[in-house]
Amino acid sequence: MNYETVIGLEVHVQLKTKSKLWCGCATTFGAAPNSQVCPVCLGLPGSLPVLNQKAVELGVRTGLALNCTIAVCCRFDRKQYFYPDLPKGYQITQFHQPLGRGGWVEVPFAAGQRRVGITEIHLEEEAGRTAHFPPEADNPGYSLVDYNRSGLPLLEIVTAPELRSPEEARTMLETLKVLLEELEVTDGKMEEGSLRCDANLSVHRPGEPLGKRVELKNLNSFRAMEAALAFEAGRQGVLLTNGAPLDREEARTWNEAKRKTVFMRFKEQATDYRYFPEPDLPPVSIDGQWVERLAAGLPELPEARRGRYLREFRLPADDALLLSKNKAAAVFFEAVLGFYNGEAKTVSNWMLGDVTRLLKEEKIGFTDLKFGPEDLAALLSFLDRNEISGKIAKIVLAEMFQTGTPPAAIIHARGLFQINDPQAIKALVLETLAANGEAVRAYKSGKEKAVAFLVGDVMRKSKGRVNPELLDRILKFELAVDEIKDIGLD
Ligand code: ADP
Ligand code: MG
Ligand code: ZN
């Protein structure tokens, strides 16, 4: 049966602050368990939270980049539930008056670019981390709690339910991740938990209202998210087809080993949490001029950059997207153009082609390159001046990549200059023709392919240095001369 899938994301971003949201404890990742804690983040009675201004600043920057309306006044609320990683018995979050509302992001989906709504962004505190140890012969199993993460500043970004497939959800999360990294509000490391995502999915028949949703928790990689959503869409699709669609919202989790989603619990309703305004924190009034200053200080973001690449450099859409969404690539690209007089598209071709391939092989990024933008510019200029061939340029690039040696040094040291002198090329061609009588005869009997063999021979002898266009013309000319001799016209 025909059904449509709808997905909305709740993205938790750990804001890059030196200290936690309510106390002065450090936020360093990987410290010894419970070494970065104090009475406030341990939730001890009598301790009082004090809001970290930097977290608000990073939240506002994010809200501005997501085109949200920033609240004039925001407040904090208590969300009550019990779990050992939450020693206070409630999480301080924003429920009634979040930091920002009503934004959107432009997302370059495979099917074309589209705006996705951002319902709201709000600040909240992180919980601790529980490690479960299963039963063994001599003990019944136990759990340990590390409160280092307790009280870390999080920004939750809630998207509208406007994503239509697992692929779109993935593209959305990738777009957000890049944006947040460029804003320098988070380090975005999914493997360290500083970027996490819950995904909500429902299915419905075309034209009918949205179905009941499942919230998928703990999706800690792009792959897990896409796989979980794909499984869930299929599962709910079957339920709908069988006439038994979901009648209650559930939270489920992704089981990587079984490659399926597993039921966790039915979803609480907001009333179950007994939200109420946090009495220990006053409302926060957000100064409009401060927000304006933060807006003026935002860097150029990938979307704006992509538009500029299309206009300013006339790059094809794919090139503009690939270069603009990777900040390191964008910085490198523009730096090369500063040293290079040729076409922007040539730089883009090399960067997205050979350079990217080399980077992928080594699993590194543009910031790790051993050569600089001026070196790539120099290499492309050698090519433009016809001083080296395209083939040789690739060889030079590979050496630049391995050693960081500037191209001029490599080309001089290894004698890689292109042979452009027609007399020199003619001499090489005649030598080849004389030594390969059989190929020459094959050519004359109509085997056009023999030309490729002869070209290959000249290239081998010259270590690929002969100007390929001149070679082609001179070789064909000499073959014709040879034939004319045969006929006796000569
Ligand atoms: P909660 O905080 O209880 O999870 P929200 O109303 O904040 O609920 O919604 C959270 C997410 O669920 C949002 O990302 C939203 O886009 C998504 N969502 C809401 N309704 C649906 C639906 N019917 N199908 C899919 N996603 C939905
Ligand atoms: Mg939720
Ligand atoms: Zn603390």
Side-chain angles (χ1 to χ4, degrees):
M1 188 190 61
N2 196 10
Y3 60 88
E4 286 170 0
T5 302
V6 168
I7 300 168
L9 305 181
E10 295 163 89
V11 182
H12 292 89
V13 183
Q14 185 190 327
L15 296 171
K16 214 192 304 193
T17 56
K18 290 207 181 75
S19 55
K20 293 187 180 179
L21 191 51
W22 321 122
C23 60
C25 290
T27 57
T28 325
F29 178 82
N34 297 306
S35 63
Q36 293 173 349
V37 293
C38 75
V40 175
C41 52
L42 287 174
L44 301 188
S47 63
L48 288 171
V50 178
L51 178 60
N52 181 339
Q53 183 177 344
K54 188 72 187 178
V56 182
E57 179 183 322
L58 298 178
V60 170
R61 275 167 67 84
T62 309
L64 290 167
L66 296 175
N67 306 292
C68 289
T69 305
I70 304 298
V72 176
C73 175
C74 69
R75 287 192 327 191
F76 291 93
D77 302 280
R78 286 189 182 181
K79 177 181 182 178
Q80 343 233 8
Y81 64 92
F82 170 77
Y83 200 70
D85 65 11
L86 189 73
K88 294 198 297 292
Y90 58 85
Q91 178 198 32
I92 305 180
T93 178
Q94 298 189 304
F95 184 69
H96 295 290
Q97 284 175 244
L99 185 58
R101 279 200 169 115
W104 46 266
V105 234
E106 287 284 351
V107 189
F109 295 115
Q113 180 165 330
R114 201 174 77 229
R115 274 187 190 183
V116 176
I118 301 294
T119 312
E120 67 165 68
I121 57 166
H122 62 254
L123 289 165
E124 61 187 28
E125 61 180 329
E126 173 76 296
R129 171 162 292 176
T130 322
H132 302 287
F133 296 85
E136 288 169 19
D138 52 350
N139 77 64
Y142 57 98
S143 296
L144 297 175
V145 193
D146 173 9
Y147 291 106
N148 283 351
R149 294 191 68 83
S150 162
L152 290 178
L154 298 183
L155 187 75
E156 178 169 338
I157 302 172
V158 183
T159 82
E162 294 176 352
L163 303 159
R164 300 166 191 165
S165 66
E167 302 77 59
E168 285 202 357
R170 181 191 178 121
T171 305
M172 175 75 193
L173 187 60
E174 281 171 348
T175 304
L176 277 177
K177 180 173 191 283
V178 169
L179 185 80
L180 295 164
E181 285 167 356
E182 295 233 3
L183 282 169
E184 298 184 345
V185 296
T186 182
D187 62 25
K189 291 185 186 157
M190 294 181 90
E191 64 285 7
E192 292 183 7
S194 47
L195 184 72
R196 296 197 306 274
C197 181
D198 296 341
N200 298 268
L201 183 146
S202 66
V203 299
H204 63 274
R205 295 197 174 91
E208 295 195 350
L210 301 192
K212 286 252 187 311
R213 70 191 155 112
V214 160
E215 181 172 345
L216 297 168
K217 314 284 280 183
N218 311 327
L219 305 173
N220 46 21
S221 72
F222 287 108
R223 236 188 308 136
M225 180 177 88
E226 210 176 332
L229 284 171
F231 176 88
E232 193 54 28
R235 189 184 74 90
Q236 289 181 31
V238 169
L239 292 176
L240 182 64
T241 309
N242 291 345
L246 289 186
D247 61 350
R248 245 181 116 177
E249 295 183 345
E250 305 173 5
R252 298 175 73 92
T253 183
W254 174 242
N255 184 316
E256 184 68 51
K258 296 189 182 141
R259 301 207 60 76
K260 58 190 214 177
T261 65
V262 190
F263 178 84
M264 289 169 79
R265 56 175 183 262
F266 289 111
K267 257 188 82 69
E268 293 83 357
Q269 297 306 306
T271 48
D272 296 333
Y273 290 119
R274 298 288 187 274
Y275 283 98
F276 73 87
E278 168 59 56
D280 289 341
L281 286 162
V284 184
S285 107
I286 300 175
D287 180 52
Q289 285 180 348
W290 182 59
V291 174
E292 272 171 36
R293 278 202 304 282
L294 292 179
L298 288 183
E300 182 184 42
L301 297 170
E303 178 48 30
R305 190 185 295 139
R306 194 178 68 88
R308 186 162 62 80
Y309 284 8
L310 290 172
R311 284 193 313 277
E312 210 170 287
F313 304 128
R314 311 245 159 234
L315 287 183
D318 286 348
D319 293 45
L321 175 62
L322 289 170
L323 289 172
S324 63
K325 77 174 187 182
N326 174 338
K327 184 175 183 187
V331 168
F332 195 90
F333 171 67
E334 293 189 42
V336 176
L337 289 179
F339 294 102
Y340 180 60
N341 292 323
E343 296 287 322
K345 174 68 179 139
T346 308
V347 179
S348 171
N349 286 348
W350 280 80
M351 282 187 57
L352 297 175
D354 287 88
V355 179
T356 297
R357 179 178 48 74
L358 291 165
L359 290 172
K360 277 196 179 146
E361 280 168 14
E362 297 289 325
K363 296 197 171 66
I364 55 174
F366 277 95
T367 42
D368 308 311
L369 279 175
K370 288 187 183 150
F371 62 85
E374 65 282 8
D375 297 317
L376 183 58
L379 178 70
L380 300 183
S381 304
F382 275 114
L383 196 55
D384 290 350
R385 288 192 304 266
N386 247 339
E387 291 174 353
I388 57 173
S389 67
K391 249 196 190 140
I392 293 290
K394 284 174 195 273
I395 295 172
V396 176
L397 180 71
E399 185 165 338
M400 287 161 64
F401 184 82
Q402 290 305 330
T403 64
T405 315
I410 299 171
I411 295 165
H412 282 287
R414 295 178 49 181
L416 295 175
F417 280 106
Q418 176 151 285
I419 303 172
N420 291 319
D421 172 12
Q423 289 306 329
I425 299 174
K426 180 176 170 182
L428 286 166
V429 165
L430 292 179
E431 210 178 290
T432 285
L433 295 187
N436 295 283
E438 197 170 321
V440 173
R441 272 189 299 281
Y443 171 77
K444 286 181 193 158
S445 69
K447 292 219 173 74
E448 289 280 335
K449 270 198 207 142
V451 174
F453 173 83
L454 295 167
V455 165
D457 191 62
V458 175
M459 282 300 190
R460 248 190 319 280
K461 272 197 301 221
S462 66
K463 299 209 177 71
R465 289 164 52 223
V466 172
N467 180 323
E469 273 165 47
L470 284 178
L471 171 58
D472 187 63
R473 283 160 58 190
I474 293 171
L475 178 64
K476 289 198 173 134
F477 178 81
E478 292 303 335
L479 282 168
V481 168
D482 214 52
E483 269 193 300
I484 285 168
K485 274 193 201 137
D486 285 355
I487 311 169
L489 264 178
D490 173 34

